[in-house]
Amino acid sequence: MTGLRTDLYELRMAASYLRRDMTAPATFSLFARKLPRERGFLVAAGLADCLDFLARLHFSADDLTYLGDVVHLAESDLAALAELRFTGDVWAVPEGRVVFAGEPFLEVTAPLPQAQLVETALLNFVTFQSSVAAKAARCRIAAPQADLVDFAARRTHGLEAARAVARASAIAGFAGTSYVAAAREFGLVAAGTMAHSYVEAFPDERTAFRAFAADFPDATVFLVDTYDTLRGVRTAIEVAKDLPAGNRIGIRLDSGDLGDLAVQARRLLDDAGLTRARIMASGGLDEHALAELAATPIDLFGVGTRMGVSADAPSLDSAYKLVEYGGTPVMKLSAGKLTAPGAKQVYRGEPGQPDLLALRTEKPPAGREPLLQPVMCGGVRAAQPEPVQTARRRFARDLRWLPESARLLTGPTPVDVLSTQVLVRSAEAVRHRLEQAL
């Protein structure tokens, strides 16, 4: 990945470090300072893109020409950047795990210029994808019995975001995505029906349905609300009766009172003997709408914009902060932005217990599981990239662990995160040292 995928100040700081031979190991911690409003948890996502970025980090000849001609870096800076590769270590919470405020998603230890340069990209990957994964998780909680499909691609903030949304929502338990490129890349189910324009392009609804059924007999889902929804359901039933036995059929509702229409449509389908026909719904859905519709006979929901942009919490107060340099713990003392010094570990216990934030060098407490795992050593991945399904299983396990109070869609109570006494004493010592130096 090109080293230009960063902010300018990262490049200038890295160049300054290199000029002064400030290349001792530095540890940076990436975490959320606080949870967004109405969030009881976050879901770790974006690590796969982080590791890919770190493994491929370099500056091309064109990059270096630009940095010299336009950014006006010195020839010595360009020569140093030409040789720069990521050679550090990364500890991270595996994707799919539940994370709370103050807990590192990942920590990077590398020569200071390297660790500094990667801040922008790592924050971008983790912040966005973890926000979306948490939103998708809330949708999963709201409608636990239904299948959910990502319909967000057309309104995400760019197609890179659409790719990330498809993956993040799959981690959180979505059954598929409408975005075909992501389905192919990540081995997801590609799901989709038809648009209203398809129905409008034919002389009438019946002709459109028959054409679609003839062309796609194994994926025949009729969009029934182009003109009159219940009339569309009856037309779909008429067409379905002429199809070969065993064909999978369904209907999709995209407007109106989805709950009431689903009840009426289910009755019509069952009365016609189409008891296995599935009902799909879409149109401006989020976790709150899904919760209201969870008890209706809707089998599958297409969830788009509000999930894909995490509409009620589109940003996350995340940070990537230096916590140790050259073996010396450091911390930020700014009001409201205090950081904890040193490389960390998070230990998780039984349901109902608070998480423990500790120094990585501490003796692990009995009966608790460490969340951060070594995922890169010396710039080399510790393991091959894992399939999305592995992260999905982690999420399913953590969702069962998560207390009901943290799962609430309104007024959730996150799990407490407590610092160990060793970490507290270390922070006090570092604060005292820094205040004495002022």
Side-chain angles (χ1 to χ4, degrees), residues 149 175-180 183-184 188-192:
V149 174
T177 178
S178 66
Y179 189 40
V180 180
R184 178 187 181 186
L188 307 177
V189 173

Side-chain angles (χ1 to χ4, degrees), residues 24-31 47 50-51 53-54 57 86-93 104-123 126 319-325 342-344 360 372-373 375-376 378-379:
T27 297
F28 283 78
S29 186
L30 195 162
F31 58 96
L47 177 61
C50 290
L51 297 181
F53 173 82
L54 295 174
L57 178 66
F86 184 77
T87 61
D89 302 338
V90 181
W91 285 63
V93 176
F105 285 95
L106 61 80
E107 292 195 331
V108 171
T109 300
L112 179 58
Q114 298 176 24
Q116 186 74 68
L117 267 174
V118 301
E119 174 181 3
T120 301
L122 301 192
L123 274 171
V126 171
Y320 180 87
K321 295 302 177 184
L322 181 67
V323 296
E324 186 171 300
Y325 177 58
K344 312 292 192 310
R360 197 184 302 165
L372 282 89
Q373 304 294 326
V375 295
M376 182 169 271

Side-chain angles (χ1 to χ4, degrees), residues 205 224-234 252-256 261 265:
E205 202 169 43
V224 296
D225 71 333
T226 304
Y227 306 118
D228 177 273
T229 300
L230 293 180
R231 184 179 297 169
V233 174
R234 293 185 179 95
R252 177 177 153 216
L253 308 170
D254 192 54
S255 59
L261 289 170

Side-chain angles (χ1 to χ4, degrees), residues 231-311:
R231 184 179 297 169
V233 174
R234 293 185 179 95
T235 301
I237 290 170
E238 291 176 18
V239 173
K241 286 182 175 180
D242 294 332
L243 299 178
N247 274 37
R248 294 186 301 160
I249 69 161
I251 63 166
R252 177 177 153 216
L253 308 170
D254 192 54
S255 59
D257 186 334
L258 297 176
D260 181 64
L261 289 170
V263 170
Q264 295 187 67
R266 184 76 269 163
R267 186 179 301 119
L268 291 171
L269 291 165
D270 290 350
D271 289 347
L274 299 173
T275 57
R276 298 179 62 186
R278 303 188 81 198
I279 297 176
M280 180 180 186
S282 57
L285 301 177
D286 62 8
E287 66 268 43
H288 300 291
L290 292 174
E292 292 179 1
L293 294 168
T296 69
I298 298 173
D299 304 292
L300 187 151
F301 293 97
V303 187
T305 305
R306 294 182 185 178
M307 183 274 294
V309 301
S310 189

Side-chain angles (χ1 to χ4, degrees), residues 114-198:
Q114 298 176 24
Q116 186 74 68
L117 267 174
V118 301
E119 174 181 3
T120 301
L122 301 192
L123 274 171
N124 183 284
F125 292 137
V126 171
T127 300
F128 175 67
Q129 294 185 41
S130 296
S131 297
V132 170
K135 182 72 169 178
R138 286 164 59 84
C139 292
R140 180 70 281 165
I141 289 169
Q145 304 304 319
D147 287 334
L148 305 180
V149 174
D150 158 42
F151 269 19
R154 63 184 58 198
R155 293 196 180 95
T156 57
H157 299 158
L159 290 179
E160 279 194 29
R163 168 191 176 274
V165 167
R167 189 175 184 279
S169 61
I171 288 173
F174 274 47
T177 178
S178 66
Y179 189 40
V180 180
R184 178 187 181 186
E185 180 178 357
F186 302 123
L188 307 177
V189 173
T193 59
M194 62 175 68
H196 295 103
S197 57
Y198 183 87

